[in-house]
Amino acid sequence: MVNAEAVRWDVGAVLWDMDGTLLDSEKLWDIPLYEFAEKLGGTLSLETRQAMVGSNMPTTMALLFAEVGVTPTEEETADGAAWILRRTEEVFRAGLPWRPGAREALRAVRASGVPMALVTSTERGLTELALDTIGRDLFDVTVCGDEVGGRNKPLPDPYLKAADLLGVDAAACVAIEDSPTGVTSAVAAGCTVLVVPCDVPVPAGERRIFRDSLVGIDLTALAALRA
């Protein structure tokens, strides 16, 4: 029999990414991103779109304008970001699909009593909308892409901030991610990372354990990753 207390204390906290990890929302982001590229008179390539996965809005806008050969003013960049966020909100409100096993995994880990955080590159406004679907009561803290002083994934700051807010050492945490950008961030922070790739392949590396889905994930399974 597994000792639940021993398992719980082996994992300081569980830190969840959102887009592509809990929600199959990267496909929803495709809509405004491809539309905006067309508004600019260009086309968004698959390679550039994949480079945006897991990134924050400033990085996404820089990639998007560069793709279509436009050098924007600060105002044009801000206006473009605002348009994309408004359009994404419309798409999100139409319905957010879960990744396989994600809903059940969240609730199973939460029921164990271990602290949990949501660590996302998505900005606070859209995150709050997504939390209506995910359940904001499942997380002790949430860290969004516009709350880390511009030091977004792949830098370690988002995961370090989440661990600090929870009062735990990031090295004692398990992060759950789907993208190379997010995995790089979590590994740099010192976390053990459960990698469930979604739209973009993730290379093998240190402190990364791969699974095809979140089906069957609970605290015991996450604690085993740190054994």
Side-chain angles (χ1 to χ4, degrees):
M1 179 178 293
V2 175
N3 184 315
E5 282 299 320
V7 168
R8 178 176 300 133
W9 288 109
D10 192 51
V11 178
V14 180
L15 314 177
W16 303 82
D17 174 52
M18 185 175 76
D19 293 299
T21 298
L22 292 175
L23 300 174
D24 200 6
S25 46
E26 288 295 349
K27 296 177 180 62
L28 302 183
W29 278 97
D30 283 349
I31 297 169
L33 292 172
Y34 281 101
E35 287 179 349
F36 190 71
E38 290 176 2
K39 278 171 60 70
L40 294 175
T43 302
L44 181 59
S45 69
L46 177 60
E47 180 182 8
T48 300
R49 174 65 187 102
Q50 289 183 335
M52 296 173 178
V53 173
S55 69
N56 60 305
M57 184 56 73
T59 299
T60 294
M61 295 308 298
L63 287 168
L64 206 161
F65 277 109
E67 175 82 335
V68 299
V70 173
T71 301
T73 64
E74 288 187 11
E75 182 179 4
E76 287 170 336
T77 298
D79 287 346
W83 187 93
I84 288 172
L85 288 173
R86 286 195 302 271
R87 184 71 178 101
T88 305
E89 181 176 345
E90 293 174 1
V91 175
F92 274 27
R93 288 190 183 281
L96 287 166
W98 287 91
R99 293 282 291 149
R103 188 201 305 258
E104 296 78 12
L106 267 177
R107 282 155 179 75
V109 176
R110 186 60 171 175
S112 71
V114 70
M116 300 209 318
L118 186 70
V119 185
T120 177
S121 294
T122 298
E123 297 188 357
R124 172 59 65 179
L126 278 176
T127 300
E128 287 296 325
L129 180 59
L131 284 170
D132 290 339
T133 293
I134 299 170
R136 55 181 44 79
D137 59 307
L138 296 174
F139 304 100
D140 298 287
V141 301
T142 57
V143 176
C144 299
D146 52 346
E147 298 172 344
V148 289
R151 293 185 58 81
N152 301 88
K153 303 175 185 180
L155 296 175
D157 299 60
Y159 280 104
L160 292 174
K161 179 173 181 176
D164 183 61
L165 289 171
L166 291 172
V168 299
D169 185 346
C173 297
V174 174
I176 304 178
E177 272 282 357
D178 74 295
S179 71
T181 298
V183 171
T184 299
S185 173
V187 168
C191 303
T192 298
V193 189
L194 174 60
V195 185
V196 185
C198 182
D199 293 318
V200 181
V202 178
E206 61 173 336
R207 297 198 308 280
R208 318 171 181 207
I209 298 90
F210 288 76
R211 280 185 61 131
D212 292 332
S213 79
L214 290 172
V215 174
I217 286 295
D218 57 14
L219 186 60
T220 302
L222 296 179
L225 305 181
R226 291 175 39 78

